[in-house]
Amino acid sequence: MRKYEPQSEEILSAGIDIGTSTTKIVISQFSLMNMAGGSHMPRIEIVNKKVIHRSPIYRTPLLNSTLINIQEVKNLVQKEYEMAGVTTREIKTGAVIITGETATKQNAEQMVHELSDHAGDFIVATAGPDLEGIIAAKGSGAFEYSKKTGEVIANIDIGGGTANVATYKSGKLLGTCTLHIGGRLIEYRDSCIKSISPPVKKLVGQWGDSVKEGDSRNSYEVKKITNYMADVIVRMLKRKLLPSDEALLLGHQPNWEEEIDSIMFSGGISECMYQHENVSASSEPYNDIGEMLALSLRENKELSNWKWVHPDETVRATVLGAGTQTTEISGATIQVDASALPIRNLPVFQVPLGFDIRSGLKDLDKAVQKAVEIYDPNRDGQNFALYFTEIPYLRFQEIQDFVKSILHSIKVKVAPNQLLVVVLESDHAKVLGQTLNVQNPEQSIICIDQIKVEHGDYIDIGHLLKTGVVPVVIKTLAFHH
């Protein structure tokens, strides 16, 4: 008798954002359902996402200017789980992201690994600036707005240390850009400037100005700096940054080609502009240029030429994106060794087959050799996932040849019998996984499909769910020391 397979399931997801200025936590509930008819292959999808708990906005706990207070962050997470009435065991997916200047702290990487063991069954990601902008655009509502309207919208997420910009059209990412623009780039103590960040010092050095620690917080020069930051955002949106603006550029130039129709602001600076949050008596004022920067943005005449779209979320955009938008669900017809799950922080090496299985497999041995050189240069057994794309329609014999080539190619690994993780763009995981099992019954295998990743991404694969799928979190691990 065919065993009963549940057609729906609910799982809990956590989003934790440890930013330059603030730390936030959200708990969400995902509903999974089989969207295929009874006679069709199962197609499990996330059909509903509901935020069930939002933490207060905490100041990010730091031991000093270079170290995160890891124990205090763990305490905050534990406290919020208790407030939400959930345990770490119940959290099945989600993401922790360390964003902005916090990702440059000396112990950021240690923080990631300790939280991954502490915060549930999900993977911990450190957002590089591009990923941070993408996640924020999903949490703010810009991504959905672009899908509904077809407009080109730029989401500008400005926090304590960076402005992360992601542009979308009709739900498709067009490009990103990150700037050293944020509220904590100049900080105050009482009525004086306490600290000025290196990018701002470099900028004012170009002008010959001498804004320095100890100056009055209300100086004309500080407003001149925030007005200039607003002008840089205008030029970045137009893709016309000046050489002098590059002091505030983090990474690459704006890399989209389309003209922007509308803009949306999220992040802590947009909270100064829109004031979504209920400010409690316990909240302390931020001694930085955040409110002045928000004023410069509101007053900038060129920015007002674009249509401003009101965000769904301001300061919580990134944490909501992390908690609700980073998880994908694998296909339902997959082959997994459940005892090997969950898997964390597995790098992905992409192998395009060019829609021609015969010529595509010719270079597979070389591709795996290259993956070993990149991900296991010290030959200490670091594993990686092989991500096959551009797969043509496969006949029986071609599947046999494909599997034979995979098993031959992994012999160059220092531990060829270690877990073999195969990720497929198209729906071939079950047949490929079963054929791998037949050709090498000793080989432990995870073979999943219907996942889109990028070369160089990392993936986390969660426990097998009752619906026969696995949650997958796709991320970058970029510790920019």
Side-chain angles (χ1 to χ4, degrees), residues 55-350:
S55 77
I57 309 293
Y58 293 106
R59 284 305 285 264
T60 294
L62 299 174
L63 291 170
N64 54 43
S65 63
T66 61
L67 292 171
I68 306 163
N69 188 332
I70 294 176
Q71 188 54 52
E72 190 55 34
V73 172
K74 287 165 137 178
N75 293 345
L76 289 182
V77 171
Q78 194 55 47
K79 175 182 163 189
E80 291 305 316
Y81 280 17
E82 286 169 11
M83 292 290 290
V86 303
T87 65
T88 55
R89 197 172 288 176
E90 292 174 284
I91 302 292
K92 295 299 177 194
T93 188
V96 176
I97 55 175
I98 299 183
T99 58
E101 297 293 305
T102 313
T104 68
K105 301 300 181 194
Q106 286 177 12
N107 60 347
E109 200 159 352
Q110 180 191 351
M111 165 95 263
V112 159
H113 294 305
E114 291 207 20
L115 259 187
S116 68
D117 295 330
H118 178 79
D121 230 2
F122 64 95
I123 296 326
V124 180
T126 294
D130 288 353
L131 181 62
E132 189 179 338
I134 290 164
I135 290 173
K138 291 184 172 176
S140 70
F143 169 73
E144 279 299 324
Y145 178 87
S146 79
K147 277 185 16 183
K148 282 179 192 159
T149 64
E151 289 180 17
V152 177
I153 185 166
N155 190 73
I156 306 152
D157 188 81
I158 312 178
T162 54
N164 303 92
V165 183
T167 59
Y168 278 90
K169 179 181 183 181
S170 305
K172 182 179 176 232
L173 178 69
L174 300 178
T176 58
C177 186
T178 303
L179 300 165
H180 289 291
I181 291 178
R184 295 192 76 183
L185 297 185
I186 299 178
E187 294 186 274
Y188 304 122
R189 183 184 291 119
D190 301 324
S191 60
C192 296
I193 295 174
K194 180 182 86 170
S195 66
I196 303 172
S197 72
V200 174
K201 283 184 176 174
K202 186 176 175 185
L203 177 71
V204 297
Q206 293 175 168
W207 301 343
D209 282 11
S210 56
V211 179
K212 59 189 183 299
E213 284 89 348
D215 286 356
S216 166
R217 69 183 290 163
N218 296 316
S219 70
Y220 162 79
E221 282 79 10
V222 174
K223 185 65 162 53
K224 181 180 164 187
I225 291 167
T226 60
N227 286 347
Y228 186 84
M229 287 176 171
D231 289 338
V232 171
I233 287 174
V234 169
R235 290 192 285 272
M236 178 270 305
L237 292 171
K238 292 179 174 179
R239 309 183 309 287
K240 292 180 179 174
L241 288 174
L242 303 172
S244 56
D245 298 338
E246 291 185 8
L248 300 184
L249 183 66
L250 174 58
H252 60 77
Q253 292 269 343
N255 58 0
W256 56 89
E257 295 175 2
E258 294 77 355
E259 297 299 314
I260 288 165
D261 301 312
S262 49
I263 59 176
M264 183 182 286
F265 287 96
S266 62
I269 300 305
S270 81
E271 178 56 29
C272 297
M273 296 159 79
Y274 293 112
Q275 296 177 333
H276 278 199
E277 296 289 323
N278 292 322
V279 180
S280 67
S282 63
S283 56
E284 50 181 305
Y286 292 153
N287 279 317
D288 58 33
I289 57 168
E291 291 188 341
M292 194 178 282
L293 177 56
L295 181 63
S296 291
L297 293 166
R298 281 199 304 267
E299 290 176 346
N300 188 286
K301 287 191 169 53
E302 284 195 82
L303 275 175
S304 66
N305 291 333
W306 281 288
K307 177 165 72 174
W308 287 40
V309 182
H310 202 286
D312 295 340
E313 296 288 341
T314 54
V315 68
R316 296 174 191 268
T318 305
V319 73
L320 279 160
T324 63
Q325 300 289 345
T326 53
T327 297
E328 294 193 24
I329 296 297
S330 73
T333 51
I334 58 177
Q335 189 77 10
V336 298
D337 177 353
S339 67
L341 296 173
I343 299 170
R344 293 190 172 101
N345 298 339
L346 196 67
V348 172
F349 189 85
Q350 184 173 358

Side-chain angles (χ1 to χ4, degrees), residues 366-379 384 412:
K366 278 188 202 160
V368 176
Q369 177 69 52
K370 189 174 178 189
V372 169
E373 288 166 7
I374 293 170
Y375 295 121
D376 192 21
N378 299 323
R379 305 291 287 166
F384 51 85
V412 301

